């Protein structure tokens, strides 16, 4: 062949497909509820420091994201030297895979786990092993049953996207205890800020007390900085050292760094968003359930809605119906959920419009 050939396995990867971005139409209000974005936007304080950073765009960023690592350390009571920042937590997930996976290795994720996990795994020549879930929730015993001598890494989104379910901390600890010492456990806590369960913990204790566990987080969700691409990881010193050796020296921009510092310090903005999300999440689950549709219990800022497989009532039909009303949800064929739609919890107006539209949809298809 007279052209460059990708590494083995690259062309076997299904490209990541983001949620639909609606095209605005004259005279029609559109609500994008497909990407788990906060309806409140970022803290006004974050916007202000972002604008101020525009006066120095000619300067390279500080290469270690020191001011942000220190701000995260203050917020969570962590050692900044055990924190690494990245262009979204996605970059960090890929850096972990690049550091710890190679040809012949295996990494485990769950049936409906975040799609970046198999992409990062396969991009480094490793095999993606799927552990089945129970009631759309990660199953610790199923994960442990799939560990082999080739297993080097386990991905666990907690809460999980796109199901919204979570694994109690006692179960996470049981998972860690059941894994061999050489297996890295990656706890992806992107949606942890929305959880209000007593049996949940985002994983800091495990990271602090083991040498083979990391926790990743993002500023894209409750902090509303998705456009700036910024995330972070807390890990053992040995893992931070290894990942830093391949991390790009200026991977986090100065505006993103400073906006993230302001965002994490504006606790009132975060608390407001969490309270709103919890209120409307409960409302949506109840109201959609009244329509005869099953909703998977969620602790995140979205809900998973299941549709019948009868002609005229399917998720495809519902997606078309809702889109015509300017309500854009997330189809989940690529997640192995062809009969479900994921709805981001939006403004009160958007939430009520979705319920009204689903009521009309179900009535029209009876």
């Amino acid at each position: 062949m007279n052209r460059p050939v990708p590494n083995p396995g690259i062309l076997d990867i299904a490209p990541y497909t983001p949620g639909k971005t609606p095209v605005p139409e004259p005279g029609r209000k559109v609500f994008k509820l497909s990407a788990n974005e906060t309806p409140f936007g970022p803290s006004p304080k974050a916007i202000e420091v972002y604008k101020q950073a525009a006066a120095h765009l000619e300067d390279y960023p500080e290469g270690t994201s020191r001011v942000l690592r220190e701000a995260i350390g203050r917020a969570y009571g962590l050692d900044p030297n055990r924190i690494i920042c990245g262009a979204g937590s996605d970059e960090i997930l890929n850096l972990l895979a690049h550091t710890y996976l190679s040809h012949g290795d295996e990494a485990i994720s769950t049936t409906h786990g975040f799609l970046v996990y198999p992409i990062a795994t396969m991009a480094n020549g490793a095999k993606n092993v799927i552990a089945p879930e129970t009631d759309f929730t990660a199953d610790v015993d199923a994960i442990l049953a799939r560990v082999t001598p080739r297993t080097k890494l386990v991905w666990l989104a907690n809460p999980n996207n796109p199901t919204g379910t979570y694994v109690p901390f006692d179960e996470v600890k049981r998972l860690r205890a059941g894994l061999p010492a050489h297996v890295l456990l990656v706890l992806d806590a992107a949606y942890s800020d929305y959880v209000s369960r007593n049996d949940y913990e985002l994983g800091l204790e495990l990271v602090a007390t083991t040498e083979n566990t990391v926790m990743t987080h993002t500023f894209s969700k409750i902090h509303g900085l998705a456009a700036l691409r910024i995330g972070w990881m807390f890990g053992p010193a040995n893992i931070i050292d290894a990942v830093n050796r391949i991390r790009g020296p200026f991977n986090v921009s100065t505006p993103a760094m400073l906006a993230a510092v302001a965002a994490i310090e504006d606790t009132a903005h975060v608390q407001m968003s969490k309270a709103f999300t919890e209120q409307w999440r409960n409302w949506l689950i109840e109201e959609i359930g009244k329509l005869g549709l099953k909703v998977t219990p969620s602790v995140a800022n979205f809900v998973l809605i299941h549709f019948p497989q009868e002609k005229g009532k399917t998720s495809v039909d519902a997606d078309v119906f809702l889109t015509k009303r300017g309500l854009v949800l997330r189809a989940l064929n690529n997640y192995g959920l062809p009969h479900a739609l994921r709805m981001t919890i939006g403004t009160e107006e958007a939430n009520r419009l979705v319920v009204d539209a689903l009521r009309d949809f179900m009535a029209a298809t009876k």
Side-chain angles (χ1 to χ4, degrees):
M1 184 178 291
N2 295 321
R3 61 185 182 187
V5 178
N7 286 333
I10 294 295
L11 296 183
D12 296 327
I13 298 172
Y16 183 85
T17 305
K20 287 188 298 184
T21 298
V23 179
E25 296 181 12
R28 188 182 75 166
K29 193 171 183 179
V30 175
F31 295 90
K32 181 186 176 188
L33 304 171
S34 59
N36 297 342
E37 297 153 338
T38 172
F40 300 108
S43 160
K45 298 175 181 178
I47 295 173
E48 181 57 32
V49 298
Y50 177 81
K51 291 178 178 177
Q52 292 173 5
H56 301 284
L57 296 184
E58 73 278 10
D59 298 332
Y60 279 103
E62 190 277 314
T64 71
S65 303
R66 178 184 56 81
V67 294
L68 178 54
R69 289 187 295 107
E70 290 175 351
I72 295 168
R74 289 192 299 271
Y76 289 90
L78 305 176
D79 179 0
N81 292 321
R82 292 180 59 179
I83 296 170
I84 190 172
C85 297
S89 54
D90 289 358
E91 183 195 22
I92 297 172
L93 299 176
N94 279 282
L95 287 172
L96 286 168
H98 192 47
T99 304
Y100 291 99
L101 295 177
S102 188
H103 290 272
D105 293 337
E106 295 177 353
I108 300 173
S109 58
T110 64
T111 305
H112 306 300
F114 187 35
L115 288 178
V116 167
Y117 306 152
I119 292 173
T121 296
M122 297 170 68
N124 289 279
K127 179 183 178 181
N128 180 54
V129 177
I130 301 295
E133 298 172 355
T134 301
D135 296 328
F136 302 103
T137 305
D139 185 319
V140 168
D141 291 318
I143 294 172
L144 293 175
R146 278 151 185 81
V147 175
T148 74
R150 292 187 172 186
T151 305
K152 296 294 177 62
L153 190 151
V154 171
W155 307 102
L156 181 66
N158 200 29
N160 185 56
N161 171 33
T163 62
T165 56
Y166 77 103
V167 179
F169 189 48
D170 283 348
E171 282 292 278
V172 177
K173 288 191 289 187
R174 187 167 74 85
L175 173 60
R176 175 67 274 172
L179 292 172
H182 73 274
V183 175
L184 175 63
L185 175 60
V186 180
L187 302 175
D188 182 349
Y191 295 93
S192 60
D193 298 296
Y194 295 105
V195 187
S196 299
R197 301 294 180 92
N198 292 333
D199 59 353
Y200 175 82
E201 213 276 334
L202 68 167
L204 299 179
E205 176 188 321
L206 266 183
V207 177
T209 56
T210 66
E211 292 189 335
N212 45 18
T213 311
V214 298
M215 187 279 298
T216 64
H217 207 346
T218 181
F219 283 90
S220 297
K221 303 307 175 186
I222 205 165
H223 295 295
L225 298 177
L228 296 188
R229 311 309 306 128
I230 186 158
W232 59 279
M233 176 177 76
F234 176 56
N238 59 297
I239 293 178
I240 297 298
D241 174 64
V243 174
N244 264 327
R245 292 170 186 264
I246 62 170
R247 177 184 61 82
F250 306 113
N251 62 326
V252 179
S253 73
T254 300
M257 199 184 315
L258 297 178
V261 171
I264 203 170
E265 291 177 347
D266 191 349
T267 55
H269 187 80
V270 171
Q271 291 166 1
M272 174 275 297
S273 180
K274 180 177 181 178
F276 177 93
T277 300
E278 188 164 354
Q279 173 191 347
W280 286 97
R281 180 176 65 214
N282 294 339
W283 183 85
L284 284 164
I285 291 172
E286 181 178 356
E287 294 299 318
I288 295 173
K290 291 177 182 177
L291 304 177
L293 295 169
K294 180 184 175 183
V295 183
T296 297
S298 173
V299 296
N301 70 329
F302 55 86
V303 292
L304 184 66
I305 309 168
H306 302 267
F307 291 84
Q309 299 180 38
E310 306 167 32
K311 185 177 181 181
K313 293 186 177 182
T314 68
S315 62
V316 175
D317 298 320
D319 196 21
V320 171
F321 188 94
L322 292 166
T323 300
K324 287 180 179 178
R325 293 201 178 186
L327 303 166
V328 181
L329 277 60
R330 177 72 183 267
L332 298 167
N333 290 333
N334 54 345
Y335 274 100
L337 293 164
H339 308 299
L341 296 176
R342 190 192 67 193
M343 173 193 171
T344 306
I345 296 164
T347 61
E348 176 178 350
E349 180 185 9
N351 298 335
R352 291 188 182 277
L353 286 173
V354 169
V355 170
D356 290 343
L358 287 174
R359 183 180 296 110
D360 292 345
F361 171 73
M362 295 301 289
T365 55
K366 283 185 179 179

